[in-house]
Amino acid sequence: MENMIVNHAMMEELAHPNQMFPVSEFVDHFDLFPDGSFPSHWHHELELQIVLKGSAKYRVNGVSYVVEEGCAIYIAPEAIHLASEQSPGTIGYDVVLSPQLLIDLMNSANCEKYALPLTTRRPDALVITPERKEGHKILEFLKRMYYTDSTHAAYELFMLENMIGIWRSLLALFPRQTADSEDSGKLLREQRMKNMLNYIHQNYSQPITIQDVSAAANISKSECFRCFSELSKITPVEYINKFRLLQASQLLLTTDKNMVDICYTTGFNNTSYFSKKFKEQYGVTPKAYRSKHH
């Protein structure tokens, strides 16, 4: 692939390079994120990330998973997830794929049963290690995708061929689904969290109160705090600041906007406070951050 360093963690609606082939690739350099982590987010696509260097800790729908170098994680469509590096310099290669692509393909081949984990969105996540042969195959597929440039002939077919191979091996690793009904309280809290994250992501440039966030999910402030504690491990205010700083870091890397413009564009109303919070998260001032990574 091309060495594309993009912060996809900010997007619920991913803009795939080819909308007719909804597959995207990213390289996550965790050192570029505040505290080496990116905040809770979700998207309609399934996600696969292999840790190329270092190690990372993921939290998916409230459950923690550690992924060591050379291993990977599968994250189900619409699962609320976050990640943080466990060691400096962690790098991950991400493949993000619309589940509908695989669902349509399997339906057309009368193999609907193999799409069941995609339609039920279960399991939430699975750590992939090389100990089992299926896990080893998945990791080899992901490495092959990472090392192949997107200018390769028939690249879409190459990606699809690898994704089918990955899915076949994942089916062998997924735990057997039971008829037990999902915990309705857990599902409700996940949906409430998605509504609140959507609100923050759409309104981060404006003043936001806890009342605004909780109202987006039609819940009390106390329930709002419970949702963030369970699914993000931080408070709503901490999340808002972290997301704003993440947006600011991207503007510093991808635009020539001055610090004042970036401060106000990302929802901060005081440049001194913005610089202080940025340095707390990144260890350097916004200006130094831009100089360091340009």
Side-chain angles (χ1 to χ4, degrees):
M1 70 165 295
E2 297 169 340
N3 190 29
M4 178 165 47
I5 304 172
V6 178
N7 178 23
H8 67 285
M10 299 189 300
M11 299 176 284
E12 264 79 53
E13 297 296 334
L14 290 168
H16 298 287
N18 180 353
Q19 290 300 311
M20 300 303 291
F21 187 73
V23 180
S24 294
E25 300 170 89
F26 305 94
V27 176
D28 286 332
H29 289 241
F30 283 70
D31 282 351
L32 295 179
F33 302 139
D35 289 339
S37 65
F38 53 78
S40 294
H41 64 290
W42 69 279
H43 37 71
H44 297 292
E45 290 84 352
L46 67 87
E47 184 170 350
L48 286 154
Q49 181 165 88
I50 181 171
V51 176
L52 302 170
K53 179 183 178 184
S55 62
K57 184 176 183 179
Y58 297 78
R59 191 168 181 82
V60 184
N61 284 345
V63 179
S64 295
Y65 305 84
V66 174
V67 181
E68 303 293 345
E69 185 172 320
C71 298
I73 187 170
Y74 161 82
I75 300 173
E78 300 193 21
I80 300 168
H81 55 287
L82 57 92
S84 58
E85 64 180 2
Q86 295 291 92
S87 54
T90 295
I91 300 173
Y93 164 64
D94 245 347
V95 179
V96 184
L97 166 74
S98 169
Q100 200 59 47
L101 181 66
L102 291 177
I103 291 170
D104 289 346
L105 186 64
M106 285 181 272
N107 286 347
S108 66
N110 294 318
C111 295
E112 295 91 341
K113 64 181 179 180
Y114 299 126
L116 190 60
L118 293 170
T119 55
T120 61
R121 301 195 295 276
R122 293 294 182 268
D124 290 334
L126 179 75
V127 174
I128 302 158
T129 64
E131 281 74 26
R132 288 183 58 177
K133 64 179 181 180
E134 294 89 354
H136 178 76
K137 287 180 182 177
I138 292 169
L139 296 171
E140 289 303 306
F141 280 127
L142 287 170
K143 284 186 236 179
R144 188 184 307 164
M145 293 158 78
Y146 172 68
Y147 286 112
T148 301
D149 195 277
S150 59
T151 58
H152 184 73
Y155 188 66
E156 290 84 358
L157 290 180
F158 166 79
M159 291 293 288
L160 189 57
E161 169 193 335
N162 283 274
M163 282 307 307
I164 292 172
I166 287 172
W167 189 250
R168 180 173 178 270
S169 293
L170 275 173
L171 288 172
L173 295 177
F174 285 157
R176 188 178 299 276
Q177 295 197 33
T178 67
D180 296 341
S181 61
E182 280 288 342
D183 177 358
S184 59
K186 178 176 179 290
L187 293 176
L188 180 60
R189 188 160 287 173
E190 289 171 11
Q191 186 55 55
R192 287 170 170 173
M193 188 68 174
K194 289 177 185 178
N195 291 341
M196 291 188 287
L197 293 179
N198 287 348
Y199 179 84
I200 293 169
H201 293 187
Q202 292 166 11
N203 297 280
Y204 70 90
S205 62
Q206 305 300 320
I208 298 177
T209 67
I210 300 301
Q211 182 61 46
D212 294 331
V213 176
S214 55
N218 196 29
I219 57 176
S220 66
K221 291 181 182 180
S222 58
E223 177 62 16
C224 168
F225 275 92
R226 276 193 291 272
C227 288
F228 273 87
S229 175
E230 179 180 320
L231 295 168
S232 286
K233 286 299 182 183
I234 55 177
T235 69
V237 172
E238 289 170 335
Y239 181 89
I240 292 167
N241 277 335
K242 190 166 188 174
F243 187 77
R244 285 171 168 164
L245 291 169
L246 198 53
Q247 296 283 346
S249 71
Q250 294 296 293
L251 291 174
L252 287 166
L253 292 176
T254 60
T255 75
D256 294 322
K257 286 186 175 185
N258 62 48
M259 302 304 157
V260 175
D261 285 345
I262 290 175
C263 167
Y264 288 100
T265 298
T266 53
F268 293 96
N269 57 13
N270 181 289
T271 54
S272 296
Y273 180 73
F274 166 62
S275 294
K276 175 186 174 183
K277 299 304 289 185
F278 193 95
K279 189 171 183 179
E280 285 177 4
Q281 292 287 339
Y282 286 92
V284 294
T285 64
K287 184 177 180 180
Y289 181 86
R290 173 176 272 170
S291 299
K292 179 181 178 181
H293 296 292
H294 266 192

